[in-house]
Each structure stands twice: as C-alpha cells, then as structure tokens.
Amino acid sequence: MLQTLEVAYGPQTAVIWLSRPEVRNALDARLIAELTETFMTLADDSEIRAIVLAGHGKVFCAGADLNAMRHSAQASEADNRADALALATLLHTIYTCPKPTIARVHGACMAGGLGLATACDIAIASRDTRFALTETRLGLIPAMISPYVLRAIGPRAASRWFLTAETFDAAEAWRIGLIHDICEAEELDAHINALLGKLMLASPNALKESKRLIHDVSQPPIDDAILEDTATRLAALRATPDGREGIAAFLEKRTPSWVPDQEPS
C-alpha cells in the first residue's frame, strides 16, 4: 500500500499524485522509494502510454522534508551518500522511463521539486508557481538534480539560479526553458489532458524511440558514474562546517553565520 502517493488511472494514462500536502509534498525516504517503484511499475505496464506527475494540496513539491534534513545533519557521510543516491536513482528512473512523462506544476517547485519537473519530458506550470534552487543558502549544492536542470535551462541560466538561490516566477521559468507552457491554475488539467490527447495520436514505440534518440544524441549520457558523483558531492558537503551550519540555521529559523549583518544593496 502506498503511503505517500496516489495513482489515478485514465484511458491508457496514469497520474501519480504526491500526497503529502501537510508538508507541501516534501521529499523523504519513503516518498522517494515509493515514487521510484511506481514509475518502474508503470514503465512496464503495457496498458499505460503516458504518465503525469502532480502534487495534492497547495504546491507541487517544496523540496526536502524537514525531518529528513534533521536526519542528514546527524548522519554519517556514508548514510548521507546512500540517501542522496536514492534521490539520484529516482530522478534517473523518471528520466529514462520509456513512456512520455508530464509534470503538472503548481504553487511552488523548489530544489528537489525542480529535479522532478525537469526529469519529466514536459513540464506545464500554473501562472502562480514560484521556483527556486535554494541549496546554496543551506551550504549545499543542487547536486543530484543538476544533470536534469542543466539539460532544461543550460549552464548560463544555471549560473544565476544555482548561485543566487533566488525565487523566480513561472514567466521566468518559461523564458529559460524550465517549463514548456504556462496557464491559469484552473486550466491546468484541461491543458494537460489536451497534451495527453496529442500523445495518444503517436505510436507508443515511436515515442519510446524518440525519447531514446534525444537522450543518445543531445548530450553525454546520465550514467551510473554521474549518479555516484553527484551523490558523493552532496554527501561530502553535508559534512562540512558550512553544510552543517546551513541546515542547522534553516531548521532553527535563523540566519546562517556566513550572512553579513547588511546584505549588499
């Protein structure tokens, strides 16, 4: 029985709902494991031709779960690496799914949530959505999500949003290629249903091979070495003084020690 997700089936489609609205669909170990298993199951289901990833409640996904962050602050580097590798595996499972995947994004899409959205083939967002890569303000880096975010927005845009951790709106997300389209919140489902209808006109095998073509010829592959490397980088940073201070400051709702008394104007 799924505890963190709900799966709704339609004609040859499935919608995976992140179902932790009380914590803004934050990513914890159970959700990551269940989401990985669910994508793997649907990938092998011959009755399913397209998959939508969505979030119950007010936001799509707010990033890491607070309890998971508390755990990481006390965990060993080896344990942190294992946790990071689990997220890396989830993202790669979504990215390599042989069926078209659509992210239904609304409210907020932060940190690991951006990883989920960019691992999907298509991302559609409501106009009210806010985005951010918040890791550097915690003394960390957007390690495991970086291969997918970089494929979406390129290194130049990433240079700003990775480094500043600023929040940006759906219009900016569309401008830099993070999302494919914007609509009003009440039009989100109709917009995605129209996309699903278009996908149903295509050969399932041609869709699978088109995805493989894109992955094979566009950029170097996201392989096991990259998954291992990004997980190791994050685990190492969590053990640094800045990593521990950043997470502690966030959990204690205070300013990290590296922030000056007055920020630059």
Side-chain angles (χ1 to χ4, degrees):
M1 294 291 293
L2 296 173
Q3 297 184 27
T4 64
L5 305 175
E6 292 179 10
V7 182
Y9 294 92
Q12 298 186 293
T13 63
V15 182
I16 304 172
W17 289 94
L18 308 180
S19 190
R20 304 184 73 217
E22 70 283 0
V23 292
R24 294 162 59 87
N25 294 320
L27 298 167
D28 67 358
R30 182 177 294 277
L31 189 152
I32 290 169
E34 290 188 354
L35 198 50
T36 303
E37 182 179 355
T38 300
F39 264 98
M40 292 175 67
T41 299
L42 293 175
D44 290 336
D45 188 338
S46 61
E47 298 299 315
I48 300 300
R49 292 177 55 186
I51 303 167
V52 177
L53 179 60
H56 278 317
K58 295 182 179 180
V59 306
F60 172 67
C61 178
D65 178 81
L66 288 179
N67 286 328
M69 292 180 69
R70 290 189 182 95
H71 170 75
S72 72
Q74 303 300 322
S76 67
E77 185 170 335
D79 287 341
N80 269 315
R81 184 180 172 281
D83 288 343
L85 191 56
L87 177 57
T89 300
L90 165 60
L91 297 170
H92 197 247
T93 300
I94 297 173
Y95 180 70
T96 57
C97 179
K99 297 166 184 182
T101 55
I102 302 173
R104 178 194 184 277
V105 182
H106 76 291
C109 184
M110 306 289 183
L114 261 81
L116 296 179
T118 53
C120 290
D121 301 309
I122 301 169
I124 309 299
S126 62
R127 197 172 303 279
D128 64 347
T129 309
R130 294 295 178 266
F131 301 82
L133 293 152
T134 56
E135 288 84 352
T136 57
R137 295 191 182 184
L138 302 177
L140 305 174
I141 56 174
M144 291 81 65
I145 70 173
S146 61
Y148 312 97
V149 179
L150 282 166
R151 276 164 167 73
I153 68 175
R156 186 61 175 169
S159 293
R160 175 170 181 176
W161 304 113
F162 277 28
L163 300 181
T164 66
E166 295 170 273
T167 299
F168 54 97
D169 62 16
E172 178 64 11
W174 175 82
R175 188 188 72 82
I176 62 178
L178 182 63
I179 58 175
H180 292 87
D181 209 350
I182 307 169
C183 61
E184 300 301 330
E186 60 271 18
E187 299 171 356
L188 200 49
D189 290 326
H191 198 102
I192 289 173
N193 286 338
L195 269 176
L196 290 171
K198 292 179 173 65
L199 291 171
M200 294 304 116
L201 300 176
S203 150
N205 189 59
L207 292 172
K208 173 184 175 181
E209 291 302 317
S210 291
K211 289 189 62 168
R212 192 163 71 90
L213 176 67
I214 293 167
H215 295 174
D216 287 349
V217 307
S218 60
Q219 297 185 48
I222 302 173
D223 56 16
D224 288 345
I226 289 180
L227 303 190
E228 294 277 353
D229 178 64
T230 54
T232 299
R233 286 173 189 255
L234 181 61
L237 273 176
R238 282 177 175 168
T240 64
D242 276 7
R244 294 190 183 281
E245 166 63 9
I247 293 173
F250 179 79
L251 294 173
E252 295 165 12
K253 298 182 179 180
R254 60 175 174 81
T255 302
S257 60
W258 62 72
V259 176
D261 291 337
Q262 290 188 345
E263 294 186 4
S265 58

